[in-house]
Amino acid sequence: MQNTLLLSLYHLIATFPFPIILALGLNHMKHIRFKKAVQMVTYAPHFISVVVMVGLILQFLSPRSGPLSALAQGLGLEPVNIMGNPALFKSVYVWSDVWQHTGFACIIYLAALSGIDPALHEAAKMDGASKLRRVWHIDLPGIMPMATILLILNFGRIFDLGFEKVLLLQNPLNVRTSEIIDTYVYNIGLKSMVPNFSYASAIGLFKNVIAFALVMTVNQISKKLGQSSLW
């Protein structure tokens, strides 16, 4: 439970702002070809399968043949076994997710930005507002309802970290920090010598009840603050 909560909160805090920042940057980019190139480069990793992505991560971070290990050896340093260090597992999981999904996640914010009336920007320019001021006073308020709804939905998935990726990145050296609820359910429900289906089902039900309660709570808080809500 502790590993799941810490990894979920770390993942939510790290991944939520980057699509917004990327969408704001792309929205104000004037060079069309460069903008399309950036979009293609940032969108492409999203379509890489989990197995291939984990293979790339393990190859890149390999203490024997990885580029980081070669760089460390070139600098006269000892190569570090990053995947064998329990303290680094969360950062590897989270920041590889940031790299893979930020470009695709910003699409919905670009759609929200396209719905903002251009006359607001023209009026702000006439009043001498800088680009940063226009972003702060026009673009951010324009996408805030969408961001609020996505944040509520993300709280509902706070226990759903992506079972496949965690399982594939897990090894005996980092299991102390990489064992989450989903992998625990898999181990006791399917992998153990005597599968305990009832206990595994109870854990899954508990996880879903907590996720539902979180969605309800965050939705009510959003209503109280006068922001957008799911209902």
Side-chain angles (χ1 to χ4, degrees):
M1 178 67 75
Q2 180 182 356
N3 288 338
T4 304
L5 285 174
L6 291 176
L7 185 57
S8 296
L9 291 174
Y10 185 8
H11 186 269
L12 181 61
I13 293 170
T15 57
F16 186 73
F18 281 97
I20 298 175
I21 296 171
L22 180 60
L24 292 172
L26 290 174
N27 187 58
H28 286 274
M29 196 173 291
K30 299 300 182 183
H31 199 289
I32 302 300
R33 288 187 177 180
F34 183 70
K35 179 179 179 179
K36 290 183 177 179
V38 171
Q39 287 178 312
M40 183 186 68
V41 170
T42 54
Y43 294 173
H46 175 79
F47 300 100
I48 302 175
S49 70
V50 176
V51 176
V52 174
M53 177 57 64
V54 172
L56 291 173
I57 294 171
L58 295 179
Q59 288 294 325
F60 187 79
L61 300 178
S62 173
R64 295 183 178 179
S65 58
L68 287 182
S69 176
L71 178 62
Q73 291 177 352
L75 296 174
L77 304 174
E78 289 292 328
V80 180
N81 185 8
I82 295 177
M83 294 309 303
N85 188 339
L88 297 177
F89 174 82
K90 292 182 177 63
S91 295
V92 171
Y93 177 90
V94 169
W95 293 108
S96 60
D97 249 30
V98 170
W99 171 72
Q100 185 177 10
H101 299 299
T102 294
F104 190 80
C106 84
I107 293 176
I108 193 166
Y109 294 111
L110 286 173
L113 287 169
S114 67
I116 296 175
D117 190 355
L120 295 175
H121 284 281
E122 294 298 330
K125 286 181 181 179
M126 294 294 292
D127 290 337
S130 64
K131 185 176 292 186
L132 185 60
R133 285 289 183 181
R134 286 187 281 123
V135 168
W136 184 258
H137 293 287
I138 298 175
D139 291 337
L140 282 178
I143 65 174
M144 193 56 64
M146 183 61 66
T148 303
I149 291 173
L150 290 177
L151 183 61
I152 294 171
L153 293 175
N154 286 337
F155 267 98
R157 296 195 297 266
I158 199 166
F159 289 112
D160 190 12
L161 288 165
F163 160 76
E164 299 88 353
K165 186 176 180 181
V166 174
L167 183 66
L168 292 170
L169 288 173
Q170 197 174 78
N171 60 56
L173 296 176
N174 63 28
V175 71
R176 178 168 57 85
T177 57
S178 64
E179 183 79 341
I180 61 173
I181 292 177
D182 288 338
T183 57
Y184 180 64
V185 169
Y186 168 73
N187 288 329
I188 66 171
L190 296 174
K191 196 176 178 182
S192 62
M193 296 296 293
V194 182
N196 193 342
F197 299 119
S198 59
Y199 184 42
S201 300
I203 296 174
L205 178 61
F206 166 77
K207 185 182 75 169
N208 292 330
V209 169
I210 296 297
F212 177 73
L214 282 172
V215 170
M216 295 288 291
T217 303
V218 176
N219 190 71
Q220 290 301 316
I221 292 173
S222 179
K223 274 187 175 181
K224 295 293 184 183
L225 295 177
Q227 300 293 333
S228 299
S229 59
L230 292 176
W231 62 86

